[in-house]
Amino acid sequence: MTVGATPADTGDGETGGTREAHRLRRELARADLAAVPAARRELRALLRHWDRPDRSDIAELLTSELVTNALVHTDDDAVLTVVVSSRGLRVEVRDFTARGPLTRTPTPDEDTGGRGLILVRSLADAWGVRAHAVGKSVWFELGSAAA
């Protein structure tokens, strides 16, 4: 795990960025569901650097969903990366399975499983899936100026 402030390109189109970004990187072992609350605690500590405490609960919830999905629905390790910058918050969970995430439409008689991506889609300012040569990343963003 890596947490801290590092000069970085914050992803806002600047190259060789000069703004300070606070980062978290955590390797998640296959099927290690204890990593979910640990990731939430580490995220909570990192979010002290974010100017949107009103969105911290949403960030924790959505991060938990992505981490849980990666650990439950793949048979491999995963990597959580979080960047907090003046631009906002970006959370990405990379796994090493090519199979894409499924977004379901739950019915009232179903249990609560399968609603993680619906929460992400509903609460994030932006989200998506990015394919890699091996695996994929599922990500979301919460902007610093978002309502």
Side-chain angles (χ1 to χ4, degrees):
M1 172 194 73
T2 305
V3 178
T6 58
D9 181 355
T10 59
D12 58 6
E14 296 178 26
T15 55
T18 58
R19 289 196 231 165
E20 192 173 273
H22 299 271
R23 298 178 179 269
L24 164 71
R25 183 178 189 282
R26 186 176 214 290
E27 295 182 12
L28 308 165
R30 174 182 19 185
D32 178 15
L33 294 180
V36 178
R40 283 179 74 120
R41 282 190 303 276
E42 293 164 8
L43 176 68
R44 194 175 307 122
L46 185 69
L47 291 178
R48 285 183 263 164
H49 299 287
W50 195 28
D51 62 351
R52 293 299 308 261
D54 57 314
R55 304 283 308 254
S56 294
D57 289 341
I58 293 170
E60 285 187 50
L61 172 65
L62 300 184
T63 300
S64 292
E65 293 297 337
L66 294 189
V67 169
T68 300
N69 283 351
L71 296 176
V72 169
H73 298 295
T74 68
D75 191 27
D76 210 333
D77 298 342
V79 178
L80 166 66
T81 306
V82 181
V83 177
V84 178
S85 70
S86 60
R87 182 174 173 250
L89 172 74
R90 181 178 174 93
V91 175
E92 184 171 313
V93 177
R94 179 173 181 187
D95 65 52
F96 302 94
T97 303
R99 182 178 62 252
L102 297 175
T103 303
R104 300 184 350 190
T105 303
T107 61
D109 59 334
E110 285 184 295
D111 65 13
T112 58
R115 297 173 189 208
L117 287 179
I118 292 170
L119 287 170
V120 173
R121 183 177 63 208
S122 299
L123 298 173
D125 295 327
W127 81 282
V129 179
R130 183 174 53 150
H132 297 278
V134 176
K136 66 187 169 302
S137 294
V138 182
W139 59 269
F140 74 85
E141 293 180 351
L142 296 173
S144 60

